[in-house]
Amino acid sequence: MKSRLHPTRRAVLGAAVAVLAVASAACGSDDAASPGANNVDPAVLGPQNPATGPAVTIGYISEGKGTVADTSAEFVGAQVAVDYINEHLGGLRGQRLNLKTCESKANPAAATDCANQMVGAGVVAVAEGALATVDQTIDVLSPAGVPLILNYSTSQKALTSANVFNMMNGVSAIFGTPAALAKEGGIDKAAMVTLDLPGLTAVANQLGKPAFTNAGAQLEVVPIPPGTPDVTSQISAANRNHPGLWSVLGNTNFCSGVLRAIKTIDRDSKVVVNDRCVDPTISSSIPGGFEGVQVGTTANLDPATDDVKLFQAAIDKYKSGLRIEPNSAGGWQPVLALARALNAGQGQVNRESVAEGLRSAPPLPFPLTDGIQFQCNGRAFVLSSNVCASDIIVATADKGGTLGGYRILHPDTALFVPPSR
């Protein structure tokens, strides 16, 4: 079944590739984690319900441990999910679940090889972390009919290819979060600061401006060339329009300089970033640190939530010492979501039934979101039928970069309706 996308929306999403890649490029950081839960009652795992049927295998592809970042905790989080599913959820429709893993190391050829390994191993589905090389895996897995489960979309192919399921809404998280916050706060002027790279400025204009316009705010896009040592002049120029909200799109190094300039020039303004911007190692270079910065994210890691308590109890049982942070969460979330969706139905488990099971499952809670529902019936997001959720999470950072105050935003889908010609 090929994903359907209106030509105008396909063109808009085509420009989104670069900005989404930048937003996930620093995904090796685990510094935005919330404090871990302790002394969790193992009873939250529920009664024993072991899988007794024949084994089936799913894959998990991660960048793994490389020279730039270490996302290997994704593998551990995924294995903890598999152990929990096998012992407490009856496996996948009664069949025991095995996990095959592969490291892509941010290398396109390695990502292609990983995907080919998965096809050769006969996996019934593949889950992935935040891969910079997601397109290379899609090129192999989609034509082979292997369902690919992602936490959120990172490329046009992820948003348009057949058999790809984006559990969370990456586009909405990046653009919907600041637009929704502007609307919520009655803000009528905003500035979006972005790296001035091919595609990035274009997508900020093509997706950001309409989203803010639909939210009742005028958005100025502020492009800054890579490697600019001091961005004060650009931020000062943008500040002449008195924006009530600043949004920053870029990696940690870019965010550091931009946030330093914003907090120096307009210290009391509302600032919104993606979670890959937040890194405690740069907090001391920002006036006031990250205090009060709003953060769009795909996981609620508040240890007081039932979701985190469940994850902690599974960690205590199957991999004591694993830290709850974005990488380990990124392994747990898509694997557990797959089991929840498939176990809502019946029948044998194979590639076709996994894809159909995902599409036909009722709304279900997505792990580590404290209430966001996912449903992969193609109706969750106006821009892409591959996206399974419309709601997004926003948190507030403290001075040192620890996130708290998580809440769910319900952005109006009209934010992303392209203007009529």
Side-chain angles (χ1 to χ4, degrees), residues 44-191:
V44 303
L45 294 172
Q48 289 282 327
N49 179 22
T52 57
V56 293
T57 301
I58 66 167
Y60 193 96
I61 301 174
S62 170
E63 305 289 18
K65 190 171 185 178
T67 56
V68 176
D70 183 359
T71 65
S72 53
E74 290 179 335
F75 291 132
V76 187
Q79 185 60 59
V80 170
V82 166
D83 293 339
Y84 167 65
I85 291 163
N86 281 336
E87 291 195 16
H88 291 273
L89 301 185
L92 289 184
R93 296 182 177 175
Q95 295 185 238
R96 185 169 182 82
L97 186 59
N98 291 331
L99 183 69
K100 176 178 173 59
T101 62
C102 188
E103 287 186 334
S104 65
K105 295 186 180 297
N107 182 303
T112 298
D113 180 62
C114 281
N116 280 317
Q117 287 185 42
M118 298 299 172
V119 174
V123 300
V124 297
V126 172
E128 288 184 357
L131 294 189
T133 52
V134 64
D135 283 358
Q136 283 72 29
T137 66
I138 291 172
D139 287 342
V140 174
L141 298 173
S142 181
V146 180
L148 176 59
I149 297 94
L150 305 171
N151 264 3
Y152 62 93
S153 56
T154 56
S155 76
Q156 182 186 15
K157 287 184 178 180
L159 293 166
T160 60
S161 299
N163 296 312
V164 179
F165 301 88
N166 299 278
M167 297 300 178
M168 292 290 282
N169 195 328
V171 174
S172 191
I174 292 173
F175 297 104
T177 297
L181 288 173
K183 183 177 182 179
E184 182 180 85
I187 294 169
D188 59 8
K189 290 183 181 180

Side-chain angles (χ1 to χ4, degrees), residues 69 77 99 127 131-132 152 206 217 240 248 284 308 330 334 400 411:
L99 183 69
L131 294 189
Y152 62 93
Q206 292 172 355
R240 295 190 188 110
V248 185
S284 62
V308 173

Side-chain angles (χ1 to χ4, degrees), residues 105-386:
K105 295 186 180 297
N107 182 303
T112 298
D113 180 62
C114 281
N116 280 317
Q117 287 185 42
M118 298 299 172
V119 174
V123 300
V124 297
V126 172
E128 288 184 357
L131 294 189
T133 52
V134 64
D135 283 358
Q136 283 72 29
T137 66
I138 291 172
D139 287 342
V140 174
L141 298 173
S142 181
V146 180
L148 176 59
I149 297 94
L150 305 171
N151 264 3
Y152 62 93
S153 56
T154 56
S155 76
Q156 182 186 15
K157 287 184 178 180
L159 293 166
T160 60
S161 299
N163 296 312
V164 179
F165 301 88
N166 299 278
M167 297 300 178
M168 292 290 282
N169 195 328
V171 174
S172 191
I174 292 173
F175 297 104
T177 297
L181 288 173
K183 183 177 182 179
E184 182 180 85
I187 294 169
D188 59 8
K189 290 183 181 180
M192 181 172 287
V193 186
T194 177
L195 278 165
D196 191 10
L197 292 173
L200 285 181
T201 303
V203 74
N205 282 288
Q206 292 172 355
L207 278 180
K209 280 191 173 181
F212 274 85
T213 297
N214 290 335
Q218 179 183 357
L219 177 68
E220 177 184 3
V221 175
V222 184
I224 296 179
T228 302
D230 186 352
V231 302
T232 302
S233 61
Q234 290 94 332
I235 301 303
S236 295
N239 193 52
R240 295 190 188 110
N241 290 327
H242 305 292
L245 179 147
W246 296 85
S247 177
V248 185
L249 302 180
N251 55 27
T252 302
N253 290 337
F254 179 72
C255 287
S256 175
V258 171
L259 290 176
R260 182 164 56 249
I262 291 173
K263 289 285 191 176
T264 299
I265 294 167
D266 189 16
R267 187 160 186 167
D268 295 328
S269 63
K270 184 183 290 291
V271 180
V272 186
V273 302
N274 61 74
D275 59 1
R276 306 313 182 187
C277 269
V278 181
D279 184 341
T281 64
I282 66 173
S283 62
S284 62
S285 69
I286 302 168
F290 289 100
E291 188 72 43
V293 170
Q294 301 290 287
V295 183
T297 184
T298 55
N300 181 336
L301 302 184
D302 183 346
T305 64
D306 290 341
D307 277 358
V308 173
K309 289 177 182 177
L310 175 63
F311 190 20
Q312 187 65 57
I315 288 172
D316 292 344
K317 183 172 182 179
Y318 302 113
K319 192 63 178 180
S320 179
L322 177 66
R323 184 168 174 241
I324 294 180
E325 41 79 28
N327 286 318
S328 59
W332 168 265
Q333 287 174 293
V335 177
L336 181 54
L338 171 63
R340 287 177 175 173
L342 239 61
N343 290 346
Q346 298 179 338
Q348 289 294 110
V349 179
N350 53 44
R351 292 172 183 174
E352 293 76 15
S353 67
V354 168
E356 180 54 33
L358 284 165
R359 294 189 186 103
S360 62
L364 295 163
F366 190 66
L368 295 179
T369 59
D370 196 34
I372 289 181
Q373 301 277 303
F374 74 98
Q375 186 175 22
C376 302
N377 61 359
R379 302 172 188 166
F381 185 47
V382 67
L383 289 183
S384 171
S385 60
N386 285 6

